[in-house]
């Protein structure tokens, strides 16, 4: 984090709502939701296998603190005048029912001290013990900012540290957990009672006023100096238990920092608070009646204790606030890529990129832009060094596509030794006659045709005329040496392969596909200036046998040829199978009309699958071209044929050592088939329409390893799902795609690419091979040190992608990126990008489940993140109490996002998540880009009723928690696969009428798959928001209408990721406590 930035604490959004018990899991592929059984799980009431932890170390007090934008993090910058935020807006949890004992009374032996979570409320914790709690003696001096050492302690769920022995102590305990989030946002809205007005803070130069977080005062604290203008990125420890209430006013005790306790009665309404670490005071806190119970009552009689409180979610780092801050700070200026090691704006920020020598973040994002100089330092920090690369990413219309450079027959200029391509970082020497490679330092002669003089700065005089010298991304036209068998490729082909078994015909799917293809074939991808697409098309239908169609332009009617020997697949015709759309238009139209009629009365329910891929592969081989198979498939292939599968779905394997087999293919046949497909450049896109288990883990192998895509529409119903399927199909057919692709990542001396994640095949350790690569696919690359790096020269990456364009042109696309190197850990932590880090960690974990038990994978994730944060705490943060959780500015969202990954359906499935869903999600996430994983793991939640109907902007997002929802409002939640519209029970009738066209809440239909078109401003605004969001995603999201207190609400709540999940996932607050404990154990 930048040391000079100011930061924000997020304004709270909705009022807390009553909680609803139980969560149902999502149907990712779009299961028909009305059929989902209602959850039989009531309020959860017992421990779950979560994170079992040993007893915490003696003397431990939980105190959480977080930096916010610009709160200083490095050792030399934590020195400004700072005061922590105190946790405010606390919410009462269920109590144990026993009245709190009077101050000073010890807890009866055997009676559990309840934490802020009732038993069974939290699944990750330590079993409660019944040891009595002992307090420190009253004479013990209290050093604010340090925790008193208790003699013994007991543990309850998620109670990290000695829990208070009474409800009274619990309040003190929770009140003492202070959060430091340096704030710099607009004051909270007036009238909400969430903070003091602006008048409480004197104006500060150069920074907006931080909003005050309401919070209970600490005992015996008073004003010391003016209110602070900024707050630290840590929290001070809690006050000692209430037995200190007997202290008399007097001079300060030895070791007590700060002024003596006051001798005047407290002001009515609130008491001032003093920061435990720095002796500075926070502003007055509203909404607290009288002195805080348990504090010394100087002259006033003790009042009745209020109900126990819990940690306030508003006082911990908010993803919404971080996203909003980045938009405000970095959304207005273009991101110019000329400087080495710049951290780009977040993926959630809308910004323009100006390429001035480094690749745009739309093409490459890194986990850190300042990497350690040595492997020891990298190991110490545990921060993975990885790049998420999207070589064919789509750019917004305002940005320029990579220029295509043609060097003629000699081809691109390259380094003689390492074969790196000419780029802006190459150094020309000897008057421009030779150049020194920036990757391997080898000196190479400049070819005579490429020679150019240097100017007085050593730059070539044609620097700005050549994209490869001045830009981070560009393309070269490849010569014949870069082509298979040393001959230029033919244009690719698309083959449409349609399942015509009973299920596909009866559901109306076959007719729907044939109707759509008639018009869709006019939109095949083509080069920018071409009149028509060069792509040829072919058609196959299949059930237990395969039907090929001759659609040669000279025929009056299409001809069908049946291949029933599926064990030895061949293509029965060469001429007339792959044709030009315009030439054969009438024959193709006739075929597409006839197919639904031909199979209308079929009784054949069994299908084959592998022979279908083999047939497409053989057809492309015969035509000597690359291409893509679009396969529309409905059921488990149980017919007698190669690649036949059996139903092996077994939920009993979940949480056992054999769970990994559910993610693995059940036969190696498909791996071998995928290898053959990649060799030919045959990419497979698979559209699945299952009504039951069909083994996505096995059927997905070929699409996955050939760089293709899988789409899944469970329980497909024409009326509700056709719109989504047709949108996906149209986009899939039309999008930019490269064929027969090979990608290699070169690095400068000191680091090398060691590991790769994504949808591809690798036959060696360096080349990523993809039969097809489209504009949505990413390849994630991890780097490791093999030597020392230097701060002066930094580190360089060059991603080179060789591919065939949709017109049959062989091209090289080059992306270059320069990174800084550091000898100080603080510089590493200041230049990390959490969204990219989470993208990498999720992919790493999702690959891990193929070979390890899921619990092992989860524990490894938690451990790695705890090590990352512990290393920061130990080496970069200013010395402070161990009871404080200190997070790096750039990583303050790591705990909340990591918890979302841990709670995802792959790593922690609920009872309604099918094996196929998990395999599908696992494959999907593996090739997602950073923006997609960001919204997938932490969905976007928008209050539609707050939208301004007169502006184009979206309403401000709110945090993913049920307590943020108001029953008088309508919300939209999206995660890249589904869009939910949640309607509260008390929404005004007029809004319901405007949006749904019905007169009451009870008449809203759950079956809607699109919002009705109503002629009023609210309906238009909401539909435009939905359309805008759909346009930002690579898949068309399923729209699900959820009425509050309806059975579908369980599914919706599964995506409120800051709350506890039915499958045992911790809430954000609980997980933060858990991470703090893990960090403390590592540090001790």
């Amino acid at each position: 984090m930048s040391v000079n930035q100011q930061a924000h604490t997020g304004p709270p959004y909705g009022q807390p709502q009553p909680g609803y018990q139980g969560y149902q899991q999502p149907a990712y592929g779009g299961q028909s939701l009305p059929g989902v059984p209602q959850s039989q799980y009531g309020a959860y009431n017992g421990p779950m296998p979560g994170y079992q932890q040993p007893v915490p170390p003696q003397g431990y007090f939980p105190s959480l603190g977080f930096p916010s934008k610009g709160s200083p993090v490095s050792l030399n910058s934590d020195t400004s005048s700072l005061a922590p935020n105190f946790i405010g807006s606390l919410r009462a949890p269920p109590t144990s029912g026993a009245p709190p004992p009077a101050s000073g009374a010890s807890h009866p032996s055997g009676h559990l001290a309840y934490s802020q979570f009732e038993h069974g409320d939290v699944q990750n914790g330590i079993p409660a013990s019944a040891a009595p709690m002992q307090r420190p003696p009253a004479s013990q001096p209290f050093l604010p900012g340090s925790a008193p050492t208790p003699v013994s302690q007991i543990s309850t769920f998620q109670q990290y540290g000695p829990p208070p022995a009474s409800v009274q102590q619990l309040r003190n305990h929770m009140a003492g957990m202070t959060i430091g989030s340096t704030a710099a946002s607009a004051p909270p809205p007036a009238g909400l009672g969430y903070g003091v007005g602006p008048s409480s803070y004197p104006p500060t130069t150069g920074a907006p006023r931080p909003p005050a977080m309401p919070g209970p005062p600490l005992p015996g604290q008073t004003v010391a100096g003016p209110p602070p203008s900024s707050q630290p990125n840590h929290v001070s420890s809690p006050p000692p238990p209430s037995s200190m209430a007997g202290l008399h006013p007097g001079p300060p005790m030895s070791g007590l920092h700060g002024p003596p306790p006051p001798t005047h009665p407290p002001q009515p309404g609130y008491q001032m608070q003093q920061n435990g670490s720095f002796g500075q005071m926070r502003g007055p806190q509203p909404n607290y009646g009288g002195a805080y119970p348990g504090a010394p009552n100087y002259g006033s009689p003790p009042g009745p204790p209020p109900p126990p409180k819990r940690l306030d979610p508003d006082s911990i780092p908010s993803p919404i606030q971080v996203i909003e801050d980045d938009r405000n700070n970095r959304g207005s200026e273009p991101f110019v890529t000329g400087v080495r090691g710049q951290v780009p704006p977040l993926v959630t920020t809308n910004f323009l990129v100006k390429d001035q020598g480094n690749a745009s973040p739309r093409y490459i994002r890194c986990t850190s832009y300042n990497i350690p100089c040595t492997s020891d330092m990298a190991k110490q920090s545990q921060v993975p060094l990885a790049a998420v690369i999207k070589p064919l990413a789509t750019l917004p219309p305002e940005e320029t596509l990579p220029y295509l450079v043609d060097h003629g027959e000699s081809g691109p200029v390259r380094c003689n030794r390492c074969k790196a391509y000419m780029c802006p970082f190459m150094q020309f020497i000897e008057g421009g006659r030779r150049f020194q490679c920036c990757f391997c330092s080898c000196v190479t002669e400049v070819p005579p045709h490429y020679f150019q003089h240097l100017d007085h700065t050593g730059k070539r005089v044609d620097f700005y005329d050549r994209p490869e010298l001045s830009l981070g991304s560009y393309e070269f036209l490849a010569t014949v040496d870069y082509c298979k068998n040393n001959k230029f490729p033919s244009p690719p082909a698309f083959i449409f392969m349609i399942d015509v078994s009973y299920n596909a015909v009866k559901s109306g799917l076959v007719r729907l596909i044939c109707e759509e293809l008639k018009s869709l074939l006019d939109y095949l991808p083509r080069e920018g200036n071409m009149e028509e697409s060069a792509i040829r098309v072919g058609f196959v239908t299949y059930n237990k046998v395969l039907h090929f169609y001759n659609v040669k332009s000279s025929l009056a009617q299409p001809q069908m040829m049946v291949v029933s020997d599926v064990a030895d697949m061949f293509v029965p015709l060469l001429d007339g199978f792959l044709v030009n759309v315009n030439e054969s238009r009438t024959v193709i139209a006739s075929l597409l009309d006839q197919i639904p009629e031909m199979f209308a009365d079929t009784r054949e329910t069994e299908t084959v699958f592998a022979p279908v891929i083999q047939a497409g592969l053989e057809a492309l081989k015969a035509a000597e071209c690359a291409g893509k198979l679009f396969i529309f498939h409905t059921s488990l292939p149980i017919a007698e044929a190669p690649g036949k599968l059996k139903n092996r779905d077994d939920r009993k394997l979940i949480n056992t050592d054999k769970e990994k087999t559910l993610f693995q293919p059940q036969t190696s046949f498909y791996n071998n088939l995928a290898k053959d497909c990649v060799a030919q450049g045959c990419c497979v896109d698979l559209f699945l329409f299952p009504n039951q288990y069909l083994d996505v883990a096995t059927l997905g192998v070929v699409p996955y390893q050939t760089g293709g895509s899988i789409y899944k529409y469970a329980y497909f119903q024409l009326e509700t799902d056709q719109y989504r399927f047709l949108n996906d199909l149209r986009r899939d057919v039309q999008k930019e795609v490269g064929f027969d692709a090979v990608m290699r990542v070169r690095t400068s001396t000191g680091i090398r690419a060691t590991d790769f994640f994504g949808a591809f095949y690798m036959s060696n350790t360096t080349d990523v091979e993809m039969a097809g690569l489209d504009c949505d696919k990413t390849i994630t690359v991890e780097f490791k040190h093999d030597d020392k790096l230097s701060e002066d020269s930094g580190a360089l990456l060059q991603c080179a992608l060789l591919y065939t364009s949709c017109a049959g042109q062989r091209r090289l696309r080059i992306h270059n990126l320069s990174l800084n190197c550091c000898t100080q850990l603080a510089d590493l932590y200041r230049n990390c990008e959490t969204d990219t880090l989470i993208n990498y960690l999720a992919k790493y974990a999702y690959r891990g489940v193929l070979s390890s038990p899921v619990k092992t994978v989860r524990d490894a994730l938690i451990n790695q993140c705890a090590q990352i944060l512990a290393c920061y705490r130990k080496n970069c943060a200013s010395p402070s109490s161990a009871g404080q959780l200190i997070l790096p500015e750039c990583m303050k969202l790591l705990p909340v996002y990591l918890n979302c990954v841990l709670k995802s359906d792959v790593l922690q499935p609920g009872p309604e998540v099918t094996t196929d869903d998990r395999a599908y999600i696992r494959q999907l996430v593996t090739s997602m880009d950073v923006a997609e994983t960001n919204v997938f793991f932490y969905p976007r939640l928008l209050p539609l009723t707050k939208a301004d109907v007169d502006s184009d902007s979206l309403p401000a997002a709110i945090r993913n928690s049920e307590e943020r929802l108001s029953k008088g409002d309508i919300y939209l939640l999206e995660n890249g696969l589904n869009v939910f519209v949640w309607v509260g029970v008390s929404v005004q009738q007029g809004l319901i009428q405007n949006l749904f066209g019905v007169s009451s809440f009870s008449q809203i239909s759950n079956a809607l798959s699109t919002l009705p078109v109503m002629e009023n401003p609210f309906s238009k605004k909401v539909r435009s928001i939905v359309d805008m969001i759909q346009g930002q995603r690579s898949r068309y999201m399923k729209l699900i209408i959820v009425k509050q207190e309806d059975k579908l609400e369980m599914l919706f709540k599964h995506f409120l990721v800051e709350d506890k999940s039915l499958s045992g996932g911790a809430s954000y607050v609980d997980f933060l406590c858990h991470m703090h404990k893990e960090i403390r154990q590592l540090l001790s």
Side-chain angles (χ1 to χ4, degrees):
M1 79 193 175
S2 144
V3 175
N4 334 338
Q5 289 169 303
Q6 280 292 336
H8 299 243
T9 40
Y13 290 93
Q15 297 298 337
Q17 291 299 318
Y20 303 102
Q21 295 292 349
Y23 293 77
Q24 203 166 329
Q25 296 290 344
Y28 276 104
Q31 259 124 300
S32 72
L33 293 153
V36 176
Q38 220 166 339
S39 170
Q40 68 274 45
Y41 301 83
Y44 180 71
N45 236 354
M48 274 282 288
Y51 326 30
Q52 289 296 334
Q53 293 300 337
V55 174
Q58 291 286 12
Y60 174 153
F61 268 70
S63 250
L64 306 168
F66 311 90
S68 254
K69 277 280 184 213
S71 48
V73 279
S74 64
L75 274 167
N76 52 9
S77 59
D78 251 334
T79 50
S80 51
S81 155
L82 304 159
N85 273 341
F86 288 75
I87 291 169
S89 313
L90 303 173
R91 191 177 74 176
T95 67
S96 60
S103 176
S106 69
H107 225 72
S109 177
H111 187 87
L112 290 188
Y114 277 64
S115 67
Q116 70 266 38
F117 319 108
E118 202 178 9
H119 53 225
D121 243 2
V122 173
Q123 281 83 32
N124 50 344
I126 319 158
S129 93
M133 177 75 183
Q134 293 181 13
R135 301 183 185 157
S139 60
Q140 177 183 343
F142 171 48
L143 285 77
S146 68
T149 311
V151 183
S152 72
Q153 57 203 89
I154 61 169
S155 327
T156 57
F157 275 127
Q158 218 44 42
Q159 181 79 43
Y160 302 106
S166 67
V167 176
Q168 177 66 59
Q169 270 181 275
L170 171 67
R171 280 193 298 281
N172 298 350
H173 180 72
M174 294 313 280
M177 293 174 76
T178 51
I179 300 275
S181 229
T182 326
S185 66
L192 288 178
Y194 282 113
V196 283
S199 60
S200 305
Y201 283 91
T204 56
T205 48
R209 291 188 284 271
M213 305 297 299
L218 298 186
Q221 293 192 343
T222 181
V223 184
S229 59
S230 66
Q231 301 155 331
N233 56 337
H234 63 270
V235 295
S236 52
S237 289
S242 51
S243 52
M244 276 194 69
L247 282 175
H248 295 290
M253 289 177 274
S254 109
L256 180 65
H257 304 297
T263 52
H264 57 80
Q267 293 173 308
Y270 52 76
Q271 240 180 292
M272 296 298 202
Q273 301 172 341
Q274 174 191 317
N275 172 350
S277 301
F278 292 92
Q280 265 240 339
M281 266 303 301
R282 285 188 29 76
Q285 305 296 316
N287 303 344
Y288 281 91
Y292 190 70
N297 289 283
Y298 299 110
S300 57
K309 313 279 189 178
R310 68 155 221 183
L311 188 55
D312 172 25
D314 278 334
S315 57
I316 57 182
S318 156
I320 304 303
Q321 191 64 52
V322 170
I323 288 168
E324 201 49 46
D325 292 351
D326 194 76
R327 277 193 189 131
N328 295 336
N329 296 334
R330 307 197 63 182
S332 49
E333 292 293 310
F335 178 69
V336 181
T337 71
V339 182
R340 182 175 87 188
Q342 279 186 107
V343 183
L346 298 180
V347 285
T348 43
T349 298
N350 209 356
F351 61 99
L352 270 184
V353 179
K354 287 194 174 162
D355 184 342
Q356 289 190 1
N358 283 292
S360 160
R362 303 191 205 288
Y363 294 123
I364 307 182
R365 277 188 178 264
C366 294
T367 52
S368 179
Y369 288 80
N370 199 333
I371 61 181
C373 282
T374 64
S375 60
D376 289 347
M377 194 171 153
K379 282 193 190 103
Q380 187 186 357
S381 75
Q382 287 286 310
V383 175
L385 306 175
V388 180
I389 306 174
K390 197 176 183 183
L392 298 179
T394 309
L395 299 184
E398 313 83 78
E399 292 178 20
T400 315
L401 291 170
Y403 290 101
L404 180 60
V405 179
D406 184 358
H407 281 315
E409 290 188 9
S410 59
V413 179
R414 304 176 69 176
C415 166
N416 272 346
R417 183 198 289 159
C418 71
K419 302 297 183 207
Y421 294 88
M422 180 53 65
C423 73
F425 312 120
M426 298 290 190
Q427 190 67 44
F428 286 89
I429 54 176
E430 294 176 23
R433 285 185 291 279
R434 306 169 85 188
F435 69 89
Q436 182 167 28
C437 178
C438 51
F439 295 94
C440 70
S441 303
C442 173
V443 174
T444 302
E445 293 283 329
V446 174
H449 72 88
Y450 198 70
F451 174 78
Q452 187 54 270
H453 294 285
L454 309 184
D455 66 11
H456 65 285
T457 64
K459 258 185 189 171
R460 283 172 55 122
V461 296
D462 62 353
F463 177 82
Y464 290 107
D465 303 330
R466 291 194 178 271
E468 73 273 23
L469 298 182
S470 54
L471 298 177
S473 300
Y474 41 87
E475 292 201 313
F476 291 121
L477 205 54
T479 59
V480 75
D481 306 335
Y482 292 86
C483 303
K484 248 186 216 164
N485 309 323
N486 276 10
K487 61 187 240 189
F488 285 111
S490 309
F494 282 1
I495 305 176
F496 297 91
M497 316 184 90
I498 305 167
D499 175 347
V500 288
S501 63
Y502 177 74
N503 276 347
V505 174
K506 188 188 69 163
S507 66
L509 182 61
V510 173
R511 187 174 298 279
L512 182 69
I513 293 168
C514 291
E515 280 302 313
E516 178 61 26
L517 287 180
K518 284 183 202 171
S519 56
L520 188 53
L521 294 177
D522 288 332
Y523 297 96
L524 299 177
R526 58 174 184 259
E527 291 295 342
N529 51 4
M530 291 174 60
E531 287 288 306
E532 62 175 55
S533 174
I535 293 172
R536 291 170 296 163
V537 297
F539 302 89
V540 172
T541 56
Y542 68 94
N543 39 45
K544 265 177 27 178
V545 298
L546 275 76
H547 323 105
F548 293 80
Y549 297 93
N550 184 343
V551 283
K552 200 172 174 179
S553 57
S554 55
L555 295 174
Q557 285 293 323
Q559 295 172 345
M560 174 163 123
M561 299 182 185
V562 180
V563 176
S564 51
D565 182 6
V566 288
D568 184 16
M569 187 43 64
F570 67 99
V571 180
L573 73 161
L574 284 179
D575 195 26
F577 179 64
L578 294 178
V579 297
N580 175 293
V581 173
N582 281 337
E583 289 169 11
S584 297
R585 185 174 296 281
T586 50
V587 194
I588 292 173
S590 173
L591 170 66
L592 293 173
D593 282 336
Q594 289 176 34
I595 287 174
E597 306 308 326
M598 272 192 285
F599 299 100
D601 301 324
T602 185
R603 287 282 168 267
E604 185 53 74
T605 55
E606 291 188 355
T607 57
V608 295
F609 184 69
V612 181
I613 297 174
Q614 287 171 326
L617 173 60
E618 292 302 322
L620 294 176
K621 268 187 189 165
E624 296 185 344
C625 70
K628 186 180 269 198
L629 313 182
F630 295 84
I631 303 179
F632 305 91
H633 189 77
T634 60
S635 58
L636 190 70
I638 53 172
E640 210 46 62
K644 170 185 173 179
L645 300 179
K646 59 179 189 291
N647 188 335
R648 53 159 187 165
D649 190 18
D650 187 1
R651 288 193 62 84
K652 292 198 290 296
L653 298 181
I654 293 178
N655 293 326
T656 69
D657 283 353
K658 288 190 176 172
E659 184 172 7
K660 56 180 180 257
T661 60
L662 297 175
F663 297 108
Q664 299 164 352
Q666 58 173 285
T667 160
S668 62
F669 182 88
Y670 288 94
N671 295 78
N672 297 327
L673 181 54
K675 185 177 168 184
D676 295 340
C677 286
V678 172
Q680 181 54 43
C682 169
C683 177
V684 177
D685 279 0
L686 182 56
F687 292 81
L688 295 172
F689 306 87
N691 289 336
Q692 56 202 39
Y693 177 76
L694 50 56
D695 203 346
V696 173
T698 305
L699 298 188
V701 167
V702 178
Y704 184 67
Q705 293 192 16
T706 58
S709 305
I710 306 177
Y711 298 85
K712 181 164 160 286
Y713 311 88
Y715 308 107
F716 178 82
Q717 289 178 312
L718 207 58
E719 56 279 6
T720 54
D721 295 316
Q722 68 164 339
Y723 195 63
R724 181 166 63 108
F725 160 59
L726 293 179
N727 271 286
D728 283 341
L729 177 60
R730 286 167 195 156
R731 190 168 189 280
D732 197 57
V733 167
Q734 294 174 48
K735 68 185 172 187
E736 182 189 356
V737 60
F739 296 94
D740 235 338
V742 183
M743 186 183 102
R744 182 176 281 193
V745 178
R746 292 178 175 83
T747 53
S748 53
T749 311
I751 53 169
R752 61 194 171 88
T754 55
D755 212 349
F756 301 85
F757 304 83
F760 53 74
Y761 174 79
M762 290 187 82
S763 55
N764 58 36
T765 56
T766 55
D767 294 338
V768 175
E769 298 174 52
M770 294 154 288
L773 173 69
D774 64 50
C775 56
D776 298 323
K777 295 286 185 304
T778 61
I779 295 94
T780 300
V781 185
E782 186 180 7
F783 303 96
K784 290 261 167 60
H785 287 77
D786 55 7
D787 205 344
K788 279 196 173 124
L789 294 163
S790 100
E791 281 187 284
D792 297 337
S793 52
L796 300 175
L797 318 176
Q798 184 179 78
C799 161
L801 176 78
L802 175 65
Y803 72 99
T804 302
S805 75
C806 57
Q809 205 174 50
R810 200 73 175 147
R811 292 182 179 179
L812 281 152
R813 179 169 288 202
I814 312 294
H815 298 297
N816 303 289
L817 187 63
S818 60
L819 302 172
N820 286 328
C821 297
C822 58
T823 53
Q824 299 295 319
L825 282 165
D827 292 327
L828 163 70
Y829 283 101
R830 206 175 281 131
N831 292 279
C832 287
E833 217 215 2
T834 299
D835 293 325
T836 310
L837 189 58
I838 287 293
N839 180 285
Y840 164 83
L841 290 171
K843 290 172 181 178
Y844 184 81
Y846 281 18
R847 186 177 67 184
V849 298
L850 292 172
S851 52
S852 307
V854 172
K855 185 180 184 311
T856 308
V857 173
R858 289 165 49 81
D859 291 346
L861 268 184
I862 294 169
N863 184 43
Q864 181 169 7
C865 287
Q867 285 188 315
I868 291 172
L869 297 174
C871 173
Y872 172 79
R873 172 63 194 264
K874 184 176 174 186
N875 299 289
C876 308
S878 295
S880 51
S881 153
Q884 298 165 349
L885 172 56
I886 304 184
L887 300 172
E889 171 58 28
C890 293
M891 289 190 188
K892 63 184 174 190
L893 298 182
L894 187 60
V896 62
Y897 286 163
L898 177 71
N899 191 33
C900 296
V901 174
L902 293 170
K903 294 202 289 190
S904 64
D905 291 325
V906 173
L907 298 181
Q908 196 163 36
E912 284 78 27
V913 182
T914 67
T915 307
D916 275 346
D917 282 335
R918 296 177 76 197
Y920 175 63
I921 293 301
R922 195 192 76 76
Q923 294 201 8
L924 211 53
V925 167
T926 307
S927 34
M928 277 185 182
D929 69 12
V930 180
E932 288 171 319
T933 50
N934 175 273
V935 77
F936 178 76
F937 290 114
Y938 193 93
R940 176 155 59 162
L941 183 59
L942 304 174
L944 294 177
T945 25
K946 303 276 193 296
D948 179 357
V949 294
D950 299 320
S951 93
D952 293 337
S953 61
L954 293 172
I958 61 174
R959 290 171 65 171
N960 281 323
S961 174
E962 192 177 330
E963 65 182 36
R964 310 277 167 177
L965 304 180
S966 152
K967 57 186 177 184
D969 288 321
I970 301 173
Y971 298 86
L972 178 147
L973 182 144
E974 60 119 358
N975 74 337
L977 294 184
N978 298 310
V979 177
F980 294 90
V981 174
W982 182 91
V983 187
V985 286
S986 310
V987 172
Q988 292 171 7
Q989 196 176 333
L991 285 177
I992 291 175
Q993 181 70 51
N994 284 346
L995 189 56
F996 298 104
V998 295
S999 56
S1000 71
F1001 178 81
S1002 59
Q1003 290 175 294
I1004 300 171
S1005 165
N1006 287 54
L1008 292 173
S1009 57
T1010 53
L1011 290 170
V1013 177
M1014 311 291 289
E1015 285 304 317
N1016 64 72
F1018 183 61
S1019 171
K1020 284 178 183 166
K1021 177 65 182 175
V1022 171
R1023 283 182 289 114
S1024 79
I1025 289 174
V1026 172
D1027 291 344
M1028 185 195 300
I1029 288 172
Q1030 291 281 20
Q1032 292 169 357
R1033 306 292 168 220
S1034 60
R1035 290 165 183 251
Y1036 196 84
M1037 295 180 283
K1038 181 186 179 83
L1039 179 77
I1040 301 167
I1041 308 292
V1042 178
K1043 292 152 72 175
Q1044 187 179 358
E1045 296 170 11
D1046 186 64
K1047 61 182 177 185
L1048 271 179
E1049 200 183 25
M1050 291 304 156
L1051 171 58
F1052 172 77
K1053 285 185 187 172
H1054 172 72
F1055 296 100
L1056 298 176
V1057 290
E1058 289 197 21
D1059 299 336
K1060 286 199 299 289
S1061 68
L1062 183 69
S1063 52
S1067 70
Y1068 175 19
V1069 168
D1070 299 349
F1071 184 70
L1072 203 49
C1073 294
H1074 179 69
M1075 281 304 287
H1076 188 197
K1077 178 160 172 261
E1078 293 279 316
I1079 292 164
R1080 291 193 52 131
Q1081 286 184 337
L1082 288 170
L1083 292 175
S1084 63

